[in-house]
Amino acid sequence: MGARGTEGGGVAERPSVVIIDDSPELRALVGARLRASELFDVVAEGGDGGAALMLAHEHQPTLMLLDTSMPVLDGLECLPLVLAVSPDTKVVMFTGFQAAGLADRARELGATAFAEKSLPLDSLVDLLWSHAGDGPTPPRPRSRPLRLARGDDPDARDQRVLDEHLECYREVFDQATIGMATMTLNGSIVRANRALIEMVGRPSFNLVGLDYGVLTREHGDQLDDALARITEGGEDVVAFEHPVERENDVRTVRVTLTPVRDSRGEPLYTFAQVQDVTSELELRRSEEVFRLLVTAVKDYAIFMLDVDGRVASWNAGAEYIKGYPADEIVGRHFRIFYPREQRESGHPEHNLELALRDGVYTEEGWRIRRDGSTFWARAVITAVYDESGRHRGFAKVTRDQSEQRAHEEERRRALDQQAHLLAVTAHELRTPAAVIDGAVAMLRDGDDLDAQAREQVLEAMASSANRLQRLITDLGTASDVQAEALALTPETMSLAGALTTAVDRVHAAHARARITLRVDQNVEFVADPGRVGQALDNLLENAVRHGRPPVEITGERTAEGIRVVVRDAGPGVEARLADRVFERFAHAGPTAGTGIGLYLVREIARLHGGDASYVVDDSGRPSFVLDLPARPQIPRS
């Protein structure tokens, strides 16, 4: 515990503070500001709910700054436990979400105060001091204006740019046309966008802090199962459907849950996309009813079974889909259409039992043709009775859904990729935006920091700004590639100059990065300097952020043009990703990045007539290789 002098010459004990947040950059920034105020002793820091409990028990701090979304336990779950092990600790909840209902819920659980991460750091200091104990605020140490360079104060335009970075994710979230929500791992809504508010017909203050299961009309078990598959099963995308009632109208929505994980792969919270699929379902039902009336088309296999399940009739569509002529199949049991494991388990007979019990039974699954090939079928079995009510058999209608299933799988993959991109973009924007905002506030307001603290603030600010700029550039380029709108402007380039400049750019963002460069001199080639620089930046950034030092980059002349090799001392790419590491959205986990950096490296190389590859040499050392021709045929923009 530290101390500060009083007017009477005595010594008063400073309030002790424990900072809990999953972002080390944010912890460092807040800790530096609290220490600089000379009002508090920052006795410990932690990155998850488990650490919060241990540190509260060990230090019995005066104050705890507790993040809302964390691994192990989220802030709302952790809060009562912290107070149980350290009853005298005053807990201030710390969150990146703007939601009055969330603050009210935190206070109900025992929080002393609620602070948003967008709060200026001076205001955060005042807030913490106001809850630290009795008595007036001690005088602050005199502060001198802190400048980035002589005469280089940020002007209003620079501040607006930084503010736009801070609000970027919130605007994307709130203006989306589909419903979106951020929830804790237990399903409590901490943020909901306008589309979701309109979809469920509840005001925003009524949604924040609400268990999403309340909206599912007694289908909360589906939500519980989905969250368990994420937290316990490690799944990255889980979807389910449920009804929603609004103004005497019941709609059906599809919910897609994606976890945002920490660096260890532990889920921090869940990101939900909610889409109204009522029209889609109604259209599907209407189409099914209509087509069942058209018995002559080849798209449907329509035939009768007797009460024991033997084929009693056969139409042209059945022969076309299943491959059996009528004289070969009539009289045989319909179990022949099912895979062997289903035949052995009695699945076909069970389907007939369900149809007899309920009147009709519907399912989708694999079926076997006469030639042994498989297809994905949608089958409807209806129990048939005569006028006297006696059971006469079953009508069976089967349709080949293989092509539709392939389209649905492709659509699901696209939705999964979209969900991943949104979730990771949100994760990538949240922390650097908060760090930049806090750092600018400290530098602008003139805090008296020591040299080490000032260096930490500047490094955090530069690193975060670089992360934001790279994300914006990569997203824009990926969009151009997808739309086939990426134009190249080639010119003669120096290999040594291109590699040296790329290394300098990475050093500017990662001052402590250990990078060695070996390059053949006097080597020239023709390419688009901007796009080649982007590819080199992505390769080096990938090695610095996800590999181990030192990083080595080499450039040499080849018979076809030039070759650039980037390697580091790490183990390389996971085996499961090695064959698709350059594919769009391929990633090692939800927090490993957007999955588009290496994809852009390969696309830029191929647009130049070259290629990118991942190789492992005879010694087991992995490398990323970029090959470009000396003079490709590139259409000018």
Side-chain angles (χ1 to χ4, degrees):
M1 300 288 287
R4 62 177 291 108
T6 64
E7 293 182 0
V11 176
E13 196 173 39
R14 294 176 182 171
S16 57
V17 180
V18 170
I19 303 173
I20 304 295
D21 195 284
D22 62 324
S23 167
E25 294 94 344
L26 204 57
R27 293 200 306 269
L29 184 68
V30 173
R33 184 62 189 87
L34 295 182
R35 294 184 180 96
S37 72
E38 298 185 7
L39 299 177
F40 305 92
D41 276 339
V42 179
V43 296
E45 299 178 5
D48 56 50
L53 294 178
M54 291 188 293
L55 295 175
H57 181 267
E58 177 183 353
H59 295 281
Q60 300 290 307
T62 309
L63 291 167
M64 175 176 286
L65 193 61
L66 181 63
D67 190 12
T68 303
S69 296
M70 299 181 298
V72 184
L73 294 171
D74 66 41
L76 294 179
E77 292 177 306
C78 185
L79 174 56
L81 302 177
V82 168
L83 295 177
V85 300
S86 182
D88 295 330
T89 296
K90 296 178 180 179
V91 179
V92 176
M93 300 301 294
F94 202 36
T95 181
F97 303 107
Q98 286 182 329
L102 184 60
D104 294 339
R105 179 59 178 155
R107 291 188 177 94
E108 290 175 5
L109 293 173
T112 301
F114 190 89
E116 296 175 4
K117 292 184 179 179
S118 58
L119 187 70
L121 288 179
D122 271 344
S123 299
L124 178 61
V125 171
D126 292 339
L127 174 66
L128 294 178
W129 181 260
S130 70
H131 295 286
D134 299 328
T137 305
R140 300 286 186 89
R142 294 183 59 185
S143 60
R144 297 186 301 273
L146 189 62
R147 304 180 185 276
L148 297 176
R150 181 173 296 178
D152 188 22
D153 285 328
D155 58 20
R157 182 183 60 185
D158 294 334
Q159 183 59 44
R160 284 197 301 270
V161 172
L162 293 171
D163 290 342
E164 288 173 3
H165 284 308
L166 180 62
E167 294 298 324
C168 181
Y169 169 61
R170 291 174 179 169
E171 291 179 2
V172 172
F173 185 90
D174 287 331
Q175 296 177 9
T177 57
I178 65 172
M180 293 183 180
T182 305
M183 301 187 299
T184 69
L185 300 180
N186 285 335
S188 298
I189 299 173
V190 295
R191 186 174 178 85
N193 73 343
R194 298 169 188 170
L196 182 61
I197 292 170
E198 294 175 0
M199 189 180 301
V200 301
R202 288 173 178 252
S204 59
F205 69 83
N206 185 267
L207 279 180
V208 174
L210 181 71
D211 188 325
Y212 185 88
V214 175
L215 304 177
T216 64
R217 293 192 75 210
E218 300 182 358
H219 289 72
D221 56 330
Q222 296 185 29
L223 172 65
D224 294 339
D225 177 67
L227 292 173
R229 289 165 62 184
I230 288 173
T231 58
E232 300 173 13
E235 296 189 31
D236 289 329
V237 177
V238 181
F240 64 94
E241 295 178 0
H242 69 83
V244 170
E245 185 174 5
R246 179 188 176 191
E247 297 177 355
N248 299 321
D249 180 28
V250 178
R251 313 289 291 177
T252 300
V253 298
R254 180 180 296 123
V255 182
T256 303
L257 296 181
T258 304
V260 174
R261 303 180 185 274
D262 63 14
S263 59
R264 299 176 301 171
E266 294 294 331
L268 298 174
Y269 54 88
T270 56
F271 180 79
Q273 294 183 90
V274 186
Q275 295 175 281
D276 188 336
V277 295
T278 307
S279 299
E280 175 187 336
L281 295 177
E282 291 177 350
L283 179 62
R284 191 183 303 167
R285 295 189 190 102
S286 299
E287 180 184 19
E288 181 180 14
V289 172
F290 174 76
R291 292 190 179 278
L292 285 175
L293 298 175
V294 186
T295 59
V297 295
K298 284 188 174 182
D299 290 341
Y300 293 89
I302 303 174
F303 54 97
M304 290 291 299
L305 304 175
D306 64 19
V307 294
D308 296 321
R310 297 184 181 87
V311 177
S313 69
W314 201 245
N315 79 329
E319 181 172 347
Y320 175 76
I321 292 175
K322 296 180 180 291
Y324 291 94
D327 58 0
E328 286 189 14
I329 196 63
V330 172
R332 301 178 68 177
H333 200 279
F334 86 116
R335 70 169 67 94
I336 194 174
F337 306 132
Y338 289 77
R340 183 182 65 182
E341 58 273 13
Q342 292 188 347
R343 295 198 303 268
E344 293 176 350
S345 67
H347 183 72
E349 291 80 2
H350 181 62
N351 289 355
L352 296 184
E353 293 172 2
L354 294 176
L356 190 61
R357 183 193 69 185
D358 301 327
V360 64
Y361 175 75
T362 303
E363 76 166 5
E364 293 187 7
W366 293 108
R367 296 293 184 268
I368 310 298
R369 293 190 179 94
R370 181 177 182 272
D371 61 5
S373 62
T374 60
F375 67 99
W376 187 260
R378 177 176 176 80
V380 179
I381 304 175
T382 304
V384 178
Y385 299 85
D386 61 19
E387 294 179 356
S388 65
R390 185 177 62 169
H391 180 219
R392 304 291 302 197
F394 303 89
K396 193 169 190 295
V397 181
T398 302
R399 188 182 186 189
D400 185 349
Q401 294 282 97
S402 301
E403 184 176 348
Q404 290 84 343
R405 185 172 189 267
H407 289 322
E408 181 64 23
E409 288 292 330
E410 182 63 29
R411 178 174 172 273
R412 186 180 301 116
R413 282 193 293 270
L415 288 174
D416 292 350
Q417 291 176 349
Q418 180 190 53
H420 164 72
L421 182 60
L422 286 171
V424 174
T425 300
H427 183 82
E428 289 286 308
L429 287 173
R430 178 170 58 89
T431 294
V435 171
I436 290 176
D437 185 65
V440 168
M442 291 180 67
L443 298 176
R444 181 187 58 209
D445 296 340
D447 296 296
D448 189 11
L449 303 176
D450 59 31
Q452 182 179 2
R454 180 177 180 275
E455 181 67 20
Q456 290 177 343
V457 171
L458 291 175
E459 287 185 4
M461 183 177 177
S463 176
S464 297
N466 179 263
R467 285 176 62 184
L468 288 171
Q469 185 59 48
R470 282 182 45 77
L471 179 62
I472 293 170
T473 301
D474 283 351
L475 288 174
T477 304
S479 176
D480 289 341
V481 171
Q482 186 69 13
E484 299 182 355
L486 184 63
L488 302 179
T489 305
E491 60 183 62
T492 301
M493 297 179 59
S494 163
L495 178 60
L499 267 59
T500 301
T501 303
V503 171
D504 290 341
R505 283 195 298 268
V506 174
H507 271 142
H510 305 278
R512 295 183 175 87
R514 294 164 53 195
I515 304 175
T516 60
L517 170 63
R518 293 188 296 106
V519 58
D520 290 347
Q521 301 298 314
N522 303 320
V523 177
E524 293 185 341
F525 63 104
V526 176
D528 185 319
R531 296 307 178 191
V532 170
Q534 186 177 3
L536 294 174
D537 288 349
N538 279 335
L539 288 175
L540 285 172
E541 184 78 13
N542 180 71
V544 170
R545 290 187 62 184
H546 305 298
R548 295 177 183 172
V551 175
E552 177 183 337
I553 179 171
T554 61
E556 61 184 6
R557 190 197 309 270
T558 63
E560 294 76 22
I562 60 101
R563 168 170 289 180
V564 177
V565 179
V566 177
R567 59 170 60 96
D568 61 77
V573 176
E574 297 179 19
R576 64 183 180 87
L577 290 176
D579 294 336
R580 56 187 185 90
V581 67
F582 291 102
E583 293 179 6
R584 187 160 59 110
F585 299 123
H587 59 93
T591 58
T594 58
I596 60 176
L598 293 177
Y599 161 75
L600 291 179
V601 171
R602 185 182 66 177
E603 292 304 312
I604 290 171
R606 289 182 175 178
L607 284 171
H608 285 82
D611 208 346
S613 57
Y614 174 75
V615 298
V616 179
D617 60 22
D618 295 338
S619 64
R621 190 178 185 187
S623 303
F624 285 93
V625 180
L626 175 66
D627 288 302
L628 295 176
R631 292 187 174 276
Q633 296 296 321
I634 306 175
R636 293 181 179 272
S637 61

